[in-house]
Amino acid sequence: MNTEVLVLYFARSAELAGMKSETISIPQELTSQQLWQELENRHPRLSAVREQVVLAVRQQYVVLGNQHVSLRPGDEVAVIPPLSGG
């Protein structure tokens, strides 16, 4: 089942996605890696920060990998690229 979440793009990820935020519909239950893949499918240029990016769901950091993510309608997902080097 899908749910609508608000994705916030910060710094370099906003440049790569070409936007600062968007509302998307994605599966409620998925891994952090699958969540990232959903975002990268929408914005292929995000692959440039894949190795350093951090996600936050409901203001809690999520490491990319097999970590389980349970999304609720209206949740905020933040895409936070590395801040060093600008």
Side-chain angles (χ1 to χ4, degrees), residues 14-66:
E15 292 171 30
L16 293 169
M19 61 185 62
K20 292 191 184 301
S21 67
E22 65 179 334
T23 299
I24 63 171
S25 179
I26 57 174
Q28 279 184 297
E29 305 289 331
L30 71 179
T31 66
S32 54
Q33 186 64 49
Q34 289 168 323
L35 173 57
W36 173 255
Q37 199 58 55
E38 290 274 348
L39 299 175
E40 205 176 292
N41 289 347
R42 284 176 167 76
H43 306 288
R45 293 174 58 205
L46 286 174
S47 63
V49 293
R50 181 191 305 138
E51 300 305 318
Q52 304 101 0
V53 77
V54 174
L55 298 178
V57 177
R58 293 187 297 274
Q59 301 178 350
Q60 299 286 322
Y61 286 117
V62 177
V63 178
L64 287 193
N66 292 325

